Amino acid sequence: MKSSRGAKRRSDLIVWLLGIVLTWLALALGADGAGYGPPPQPGTTVVEMSDNDFTPAVVRVAPGATVVWHNAGRNPHTVTADDGSWDSGDVIPGAEYRRTFPDPGVIRYFCVPHGFRRGRGMAGAVLVGAEGTRTPDIAPPVDVAAGPFRTLHVPAQFAALQDAVDAARAGDLILIAPGVYREEVVVTTPRLTLRGQDRNRVILEGDFSRHNGIKVLGAEGVVVENMTARHYTFNGFFWTGVRGYRGSYLTAYSNGDYGIYAYDSVFGQFDHSYASGHPDSGFYVGQCKPCHALVTEVLAEHNALGYSGTNAGGDLTITTSIWRNNMSGIVPNTLDSERFAPQDGTRIVGNLVYSNHNESAPVKRLQYPTFGSGIILAGGINNVVEGNVVWDHPNYGVLIIANLDRNVWIPSGHRIRSNTVWASGRADLALAAPAGRDTCFADNRFARSRPPAIQQVYGCGSPFSRLGGGDPGPLVVMLSQYARAQSGAFTSADWKTQPVPPAQPSMPDPFAPPAPAWPTPENRALSGASAMVPTLSLPREAAAFGPVASGAPVPGGEYVRLFFYLLPFLVYDASVIAVAWDARRRRLRRAARVGWLVLALSLPYLGALVYVWRRPPQRRATV
């Protein structure tokens, strides 16, 4: 009899320990992480290099002090003196550069790939000496000239494109004749239009040694259109720190980082453009909230990611575009390496997203875990995915999942509506645990989901959607791919040897007067909160996968899958009830038995609920 009671007590202890461990694990997922890198040593000043800022941009130190630049971003950066007297070389993510400043003075510096001299873009200053030393202007205001535009011709008037840019006044049109231009162009004059006469024959050539094809630094309203950039070690076309931008009829291929890239910039548009062969993403919009931006009628293929949008959202729409044959398709995401976390409020509407499992595409370690999925909302909030057609992905068609950086960023508040998703290896629609509240699914056409019966369990208006939760399976899949990436157990193709794309359509009239960067009535209509969903015709590739799913999944099959999905929880609950029933023999009071039962049954779910409710939903920034 005693041994029987001892066995029962041991079983009670095991059940309690299991519940406590599950709770601790769930709470641990919500805990803030520690910062990167070792703590600074006494007597040093630390400047953090993020993507793409120095923080703080201006520091004051005493003569003889040491400044440490620590790269907490995802890309290599440099610390280069404006006068060229010293240079750090590439500082890779996680590394640092140290320099001691013995003499008083003002030392300006910049990052070669992402900034320029005189405080443009990613730039900073070290003030060495007394408090009276004047603080420099890191981004001085630009004198915007008025008057009619001029047309500057390259190479008829200026042999190099940079020479024409340096001679231009605000509002001018720089018209570029066909040819190969081996240069890196930096634009700091506002409202310029740089336009090629032929998209496929005006070629900016990086020769695998120059950093960026065209880099626009802090100059508002600059338009770049109708040309190609290839073989640069960083980006094809790059805007940073601007208000008003547009990239139209651009081709970017086989560049070492991104194809067409806007960072810390607002009121912009990418349209009628093509990007391929990039180890990060073909198109990128990052660190803006609200962005007031539009990506429309573009094509991305053979990249690690078709689109990446770190901490970008708010009046940002990706629409009427094709994302195919990348490692993954459209990936808005949250990271601590940029400001405005979490990513918030992107509309992904009316796109074709298919066959994003290209193992021959170049990829970096950070991007590899997204392999094999169409649309991934990684750690963001309040996104809308509507009216897209998504097919042929070995992992997931549409996946909502937490993102791990310094913090664990839990997704919440998404609306997944009226999409057609099929031919996904693991699930067409997936909500990964842990997920926050207010994500819901409605009117989608698909075959399988994780958790099962996702439109019934997490339907818009369902109490479960308000509580959050999700399925742990997709998280396990992504963590396994993350572990593989961290161990280096994956292969990446060389971005330098990616396929040359076919000729792309040029703009209709390359000799027309300049058009504004933003806004236009058409842009505003597409980027706003309109319920209209544009459509694209299905390409011939879709026929290989049979007819499109004709409706929602068969309820019976989904509920069978839902039962087996919930089976471990049911077994746990049954075991707890059995132990509680047996507790009567130990003469516990009824209230104690009931309280013990309720607490034990709630333990596996308690941690996730505590996380969801302890962090209030983020509010969107406004202008």
Side-chain angles (χ1 to χ4, degrees):
M1 191 70 174
K2 289 184 178 179
S3 62
S4 175
R5 284 198 298 268
K8 293 298 182 183
R9 289 173 181 171
R10 285 193 295 272
S11 68
D12 291 350
L13 180 60
I14 291 172
V15 170
W16 272 100
L17 289 176
L18 177 62
I20 291 171
V21 168
L22 289 171
T23 302
W24 285 352
L25 286 174
L27 288 173
L29 285 171
D32 292 340
Y36 294 121
Q41 298 178 357
T44 63
T45 298
V46 177
V47 176
E48 187 173 85
M49 308 160 74
S50 60
D51 302 328
N52 298 310
D53 298 289
F54 293 108
T55 305
V58 179
V59 296
R60 186 185 299 276
V61 299
T66 298
V67 177
V68 177
W69 287 268
H70 176 72
N71 189 348
R74 297 172 294 143
N75 299 316
H77 298 291
T78 74
V79 187
T80 305
D82 270 21
D83 61 8
S85 59
W86 50 269
D87 176 57
S88 66
D90 284 345
V91 182
I92 63 173
E96 62 182 33
Y97 171 71
R98 294 171 175 264
R99 188 167 188 85
T100 300
F101 297 92
D103 302 318
V106 176
I107 295 90
R108 293 178 179 268
Y109 63 89
F110 66 102
C111 170
V112 171
H114 305 107
F116 196 60
R117 294 183 294 273
R118 300 184 303 277
R120 300 293 189 179
M122 187 174 178
V126 179
L127 280 59
V128 185
E131 290 291 329
T133 306
R134 187 180 68 85
T135 301
D137 296 325
I138 293 304
V142 178
D143 181 20
V144 179
F149 75 92
R150 304 174 301 166
T151 300
L152 284 63
H153 294 272
V154 179
Q157 292 176 277
F158 300 90
L161 177 54
Q162 185 67 63
D163 294 339
V165 169
D166 293 341
R169 297 195 299 257
D172 284 349
L173 167 65
I174 299 174
L175 196 59
I176 311 160
V180 178
Y181 297 87
R182 288 179 159 83
E183 54 181 311
E184 178 176 2
V185 180
V186 178
V187 182
T188 58
T189 302
R191 295 194 293 111
L192 295 185
T193 297
L194 284 67
R195 180 189 298 163
Q197 294 182 19
D198 187 299
R199 175 179 180 175
N200 302 293
R201 296 193 298 138
V202 175
I203 299 173
L204 296 170
E205 175 60 63
D207 287 320
F208 304 111
S209 60
R210 300 175 184 89
H211 288 104
N212 301 278
I214 293 179
K215 179 170 60 176
V216 182
L217 299 175
E220 66 178 28
V222 172
V223 174
V224 183
E225 54 192 4
N226 213 41
M227 66 183 74
T228 295
R230 68 188 186 192
H231 305 158
Y232 287 88
T233 59
F234 277 81
N235 313 297
F237 302 98
F238 176 32
W239 287 259
T240 181
V242 306
R243 186 178 180 87
Y245 63 92
R246 178 161 57 83
S248 303
Y249 294 94
L250 298 176
T251 296
Y253 72 92
S254 295
N255 299 292
D257 205 2
Y258 300 91
I260 303 175
Y261 182 13
Y263 172 82
D264 194 26
S265 299
V266 295
F267 296 102
Q269 174 175 324
F270 296 145
D271 65 88
H272 300 91
S273 295
Y274 174 94
S276 71
H278 299 97
D280 203 305
S281 66
F283 293 87
Y284 181 88
V285 178
Q287 191 178 287
C288 52
K289 190 195 302 186
C291 298
H292 304 298
L294 173 67
V295 180
T296 182
E297 296 189 71
V298 305
L299 170 58
E301 59 184 353
H302 307 298
N303 306 284
L305 284 63
Y307 168 87
S308 176
T310 300
N311 299 0
D315 194 18
L316 168 60
T317 298
I318 303 165
T319 185
T320 326
S321 298
I322 298 175
W323 314 87
R324 68 185 184 195
N325 298 326
N326 305 285
M327 280 203 164
S328 58
I330 302 175
V331 189
N333 58 85
T334 299
L335 290 172
D336 291 286
S337 57
E338 296 185 13
R339 292 183 292 140
F340 306 141
Q343 182 274 326
D344 180 3
T346 294
R347 297 178 67 242
I348 303 171
V349 295
N351 299 276
L352 297 182
V353 186
Y354 63 94
S355 301
N356 291 290
H357 49 83
N358 184 357
E359 295 184 281
S360 297
V363 66
K364 296 180 180 179
R365 181 174 296 180
L366 183 65
Q367 285 69 37
Y368 178 79
T370 64
F371 173 83
S373 294
I375 299 174
I376 302 178
L377 308 180
I381 62 175
N382 302 327
N383 296 301
V384 174
V385 179
E386 183 175 9
N388 304 281
V389 180
V390 185
W391 77 92
D392 184 30
H393 295 99
N395 281 331
Y396 304 98
V398 178
L399 169 64
I400 301 170
I401 193 167
N403 211 31
L404 173 65
D405 197 13
R406 294 186 186 181
N407 298 286
V408 177
W409 295 99
I410 306 298
S412 65
H414 302 302
R415 297 289 184 269
I416 316 300
R417 303 184 298 222
S418 304
N419 302 282
T420 299
V421 191
W422 82 102
S424 305
R426 299 183 185 275
D428 296 321
L429 302 177
L431 177 64
R437 56 182 182 243
D438 296 328
T439 288
C440 73
F441 299 78
D443 301 321
N444 299 285
R445 300 162 65 188
F446 64 100
R448 291 185 299 161
S449 67
R450 293 296 301 266
I454 199 167
Q455 291 196 147
Q456 288 75 28
V457 178
Y458 289 98
C460 295
S462 162
F464 287 101
S465 70
R466 289 193 287 270
L467 288 175
D471 187 317
L475 180 65
V476 173
V477 171
M478 288 298 164
L479 287 176
S480 67
Q481 293 192 173
Y482 178 81
R484 184 178 179 189
Q486 294 304 306
S487 67
F490 69 97
T491 57
S492 172
D494 189 350
W495 62 269
K496 298 178 181 179
T497 60
Q498 289 297 298
V500 177
Q504 302 295 314
S506 284
M507 66 182 297
D509 184 5
F511 299 96
W518 183 269
T520 66
E522 295 81 9
N523 295 348
R524 298 302 302 167
L526 272 177
S527 68
S530 168
M532 295 181 61
V533 177
T535 58
L536 290 171
S537 59
L538 289 177
R540 288 177 296 177
E541 292 91 332
F545 297 92
V548 177
S550 59
V554 179
E558 281 294 285
Y559 286 126
V560 168
R561 282 195 286 270
L562 181 62
F563 172 78
F564 284 104
Y565 166 72
L566 294 173
L567 187 59
F569 295 92
L570 298 175
V571 170
Y572 174 81
D573 291 349
S575 65
V576 171
I577 292 170
V579 172
W581 185 262
D582 185 68
R584 292 187 308 166
R585 299 181 180 179
R586 288 182 280 137
R587 299 179 182 177
L588 294 177
R589 294 181 179 178
R590 182 185 299 273
R593 291 202 307 271
V594 171
W596 184 92
L597 179 63
V598 170
L599 181 60
L601 289 174
S602 64
L603 277 176
Y605 315 94
L606 184 60
L609 290 175
V610 168
Y611 177 82
V612 169
W613 292 101
R614 79 184 182 92
R615 178 176 291 183
Q618 302 288 331
R619 294 185 177 180
R620 298 185 186 182
T622 58
V623 290

